[in-house]
Amino acid sequence: MKYPKTMNTYCPTCKKHTEHTASLSSRKGRGKAHPMSEAQRRFKAKLKGYGSFPRPNPKGDGKPTKKVDLRFKCKECKKSHTKSSGGFRSKKFEFKNK
Ligand SMILES: [Zn+2]
């Protein structure tokens, strides 16, 4: 889909509608579990034999679409924020040139 590069939307810092520039954020560095997080400790306990053994990762190509991670940067306070919807899925994503 095509998305406008600039748009008027609510800025939580300025507490009013200002002009924002939309950008895609890279998901690099995300998704790595903390070595001693709650979930990791639970997972390690499972590997040691407590509870049921963890299931292997599901095989397959996964989903045909990727979730678009949009960030909006306010032109007034220069702060960026995300939308509450948490993004949407799209096969092909590009910015519309006005
Ligand atoms: Zn702002």
Side-chain angles (χ1 to χ4, degrees), residues 51-95:
S52 60
F53 197 75
R55 277 179 290 156
N57 283 331
K59 280 172 191 162
D61 292 327
K63 296 192 177 180
T65 55
K66 278 190 172 172
K67 208 164 185 186
V68 180
D69 193 14
L70 266 181
R71 296 284 151 101
F72 293 94
K73 194 175 182 188
C74 173
K75 276 192 177 175
E76 281 189 29
C77 63
K78 302 273 191 298
K79 287 221 174 187
S80 57
H81 54 95
T82 53
K83 286 219 158 187
S84 55
S85 57
F88 47 88
R89 294 196 163 267
S90 177
K91 214 170 209 175
K92 196 180 165 192
F93 186 85
E94 53 190 55
F95 285 114

Side-chain angles (χ1 to χ4, degrees), residues 25-45:
S25 87
S26 67
R27 283 193 175 262
K28 232 179 187 182
R30 276 220 217 164
K32 202 173 183 224
H34 193 271
M36 274 328 270
S37 70
E38 180 65 38
Q40 274 298 303
R41 269 186 284 147
R42 230 177 282 145
F43 182 67
K44 274 184 184 164

Side-chain angles (χ1 to χ4, degrees), residues 10-16 18-20 73-79 81:
Y10 181 76
C11 171
T13 313
C14 303
K15 292 193 173 88
K16 61 177 179 180
T18 54
E19 201 172 30
H20 284 70
K73 194 175 182 188
C74 173
K75 276 192 177 175
E76 281 189 29
C77 63
K78 302 273 191 298
K79 287 221 174 187
H81 54 95

